Amino acid sequence: MPTVTVNGLELHYREAGSGTPVLLVHGFTGNSRNWALCVPVLRQRYRVVSPDLPGHGLSARPDDPAVYTLEAMAADVAALMDTLGLERCHLVGHSMGGMVAQLVALAHPGRLRSLVLVDTSAEPPEGLRTRERARLVELAREQGMEAVWEAQLAMNPQADQLRAQPEFLQTWREQFLMTSREAYIYCAQAMAQRRPLLDDLERLSLPTLIVCGENDGPFVGPSQRMHQRIRGSQLVFIPRCGHTPQVERPEEFNRVLLDFLQRVDGAAPK
């Protein structure tokens, strides 16, 4: 599988298709496989690149906390764009990946054709400041990721529904356990302590799509606030959907994403 070294780190990535590049950035405890239901559709028109962020998937797993700040990961994404020659790409970020994407867009707006923010926030996520989240971080530190997986599943109000879908649950578990203990601890801390970006987002003028599952309560309000700050942005709520529309409702998500990308490309100068 392809890897590239950026900022001294070896990053694994997947690539498919040809044409205008679309860069897909996954979220916390995810990896490039989170986009598996999107890539077959996107690759028909675009060059699709989906990296594993540090400590996630098959990428390097350093123990340095500085590697896992949102700013450091944004620098890695920008360096990956340089290394792979992704000029004027569409940048799509989910959850933590959307937080990283915002920083890339603010630092390098001329490098992007568009920005797509999926179930994410421009502020510290409320769910990362709870007592339960702090307990999970300590559990990761003391017992490892398997213990965190079991505890997180036990806390999930939809646990019974998930157990009724053993194939989906097993896939989710496999991807979760591909996250290093250090990435879990330090990324959680980085998101909880991040600097709010709502005021900064008012500077953006590139085409922006904001997508959120209508049942993803912690990110509905943040999605609305980003929409209010980014001039000309489009906000879409995916019905009957939680935090991962690209997995839970892939047909609807792909339709919304493709419609947006094609409108942007139709208006882009040749």
Side-chain angles (χ1 to χ4, degrees):
M1 294 185 181
T3 61
V4 64
T5 299
V6 299
N7 296 328
L9 297 171
E10 188 174 80
L11 298 185
H12 165 262
Y13 67 96
R14 297 171 186 262
E15 182 170 357
S18 61
T20 299
V22 176
L23 180 57
L24 306 172
V25 185
H26 67 80
F28 182 49
T29 72
N31 58 60
S32 56
R33 293 196 295 173
N34 291 158
W35 305 102
L37 300 178
C38 306
V39 172
V41 175
L42 292 173
R43 68 179 298 171
Q44 298 177 34
R45 295 175 177 268
Y46 297 97
R47 177 189 177 191
V48 186
V49 175
S50 50
D52 292 339
L53 292 172
H56 294 72
L58 300 177
S59 287
R61 304 158 76 89
D63 57 11
D64 181 1
V67 169
Y68 300 105
T69 67
L70 298 178
E71 292 78 8
M73 290 188 287
D76 294 337
V77 170
L80 178 72
M81 291 166 57
D82 291 336
T83 302
L84 297 182
L86 305 181
E87 298 180 4
R88 297 290 319 285
C89 71
H90 298 287
L91 180 59
V92 182
H94 171 244
S95 195
M96 183 181 76
M99 302 175 196
V100 170
Q102 292 169 52
L103 291 170
V104 175
L106 288 167
H108 309 282
R111 298 287 308 278
L112 303 182
R113 285 177 175 265
S114 73
L115 177 65
V116 181
L117 303 173
V118 184
D119 289 74
T120 190
S121 172
E123 311 147 85
E126 295 178 5
L128 290 176
R129 294 185 165 185
T130 64
R131 183 177 301 173
E132 291 80 6
R133 179 62 66 176
R135 185 173 72 85
L136 290 174
V137 168
E138 283 308 305
L139 195 61
R141 195 186 307 275
E142 296 171 1
Q143 299 184 35
M145 294 300 289
E146 185 77 51
V148 175
W149 166 259
E150 295 298 337
Q152 199 164 270
L153 183 61
M155 291 165 49
N156 194 316
Q158 298 178 318
D160 290 341
Q161 299 175 36
L162 291 168
R163 290 190 177 95
Q165 306 174 66
E167 186 174 333
F168 172 80
L169 191 61
Q170 179 61 23
T171 299
W172 183 16
R173 177 181 178 275
E174 289 174 358
Q175 294 193 35
F176 183 90
L177 294 179
M178 293 178 75
T179 306
S180 72
R181 179 195 318 230
E182 290 77 15
Y184 187 87
I185 294 169
Y186 298 132
C187 286
Q189 292 176 351
M191 288 186 286
Q193 298 167 4
R194 64 177 297 203
R195 180 176 66 86
L197 293 178
L198 280 174
D199 291 343
D200 300 78
L201 293 181
E202 293 182 348
R203 305 201 315 260
L204 291 181
S205 59
L206 71 163
T208 302
L209 169 66
I210 301 166
V211 181
C212 187
E214 68 172 4
N215 297 330
D216 190 10
F219 290 93
V220 169
S223 295
Q224 293 169 330
R225 290 191 285 275
M226 290 188 297
H227 173 53
Q228 292 166 358
R229 296 299 185 99
I230 303 175
R231 295 188 305 275
S233 63
Q234 177 185 356
L235 174 61
V236 176
F237 287 105
I238 304 292
R240 301 182 303 282
C241 183
H243 188 60
T244 53
Q246 74 274 33
V247 176
E248 299 170 52
R249 298 293 305 279
E251 291 186 5
E252 178 69 8
F253 177 79
N254 289 338
R255 182 189 64 78
V256 169
L257 178 58
L258 270 176
D259 285 352
F260 171 76
L261 296 180
Q262 290 171 5
R263 285 201 308 274
V264 171
D265 287 339
K270 300 298 183 181

